[in-house]
Amino acid sequence: AMVFLLVLILFSAWYTSLLRDIPAGIPIRWIMLVLLVPSAVHSSFRTYLQSPDTILLLPQGHRMREYFLPAWVSGNVWKILRLAFVLITLWPLYIRTDVSHKLLFATLAVLVFVMLISSYGLWQETAMLSRPAASAYSFLRWAVGGLMIAAWLWQPSIRALIFIFILAAAYLAALRVPGRHSVPWERLITMEKNQGARALMILGWFVDVP
């Protein structure tokens, strides 16, 4: 918490000075694209599944949707908060440097739409039978999200929305092609183990953990 507070204070001081004296010709749309695409497209879920869980849960595979849905929803709520924080932080710089800037709430709505599409895409990738296909679809997810956000930043609003909806429909249709597991137990357990290891690694920077 103290490290985060120190970084926040230093960033606030630097950002305030930047807003007072903005350099001419700053590529604000590219800056927005580089910072907003990871915030909107990157997804992850905490299912807290472990290897022994499959002994009891495997017979209940047809009911696991009841367990996964709250995890998916809560994960997206935190991502929306993260996305809103990044957007609001960038917004003062954006409206001061872009003469044809978009509206704040419209931009947030588009970003949330991209985030939900990406979140659904990640869930479908996790369940795919073929891991090479899942990797290819992961690249496709990032490309689709980047194109959607770029269209919104560079194109007129109506034209951008038409492009976004057409691209989203094509992407959702493409997700229906590969075969999938009903519940990808091993993949979910591996993802949970990796996320838990990352959390312990970050905690290990500050305190002693096993």
Side-chain angles (χ1 to χ4, degrees), residues 10-23:
L10 294 176
F11 173 78
S12 299
W14 171 80
Y15 194 54
T16 302
S17 63
L18 176 64
L19 292 176
R20 290 176 179 173
D21 187 17
I22 300 176

Side-chain angles (χ1 to χ4, degrees), residues 41-57:
V41 178
H42 175 71
S43 298
S44 61
F45 304 99
R46 297 303 306 269
T47 59
Y48 300 101
L49 292 179
Q50 299 182 21
S51 297
D53 293 337
T54 57
I55 298 174
L56 296 176
L57 296 181

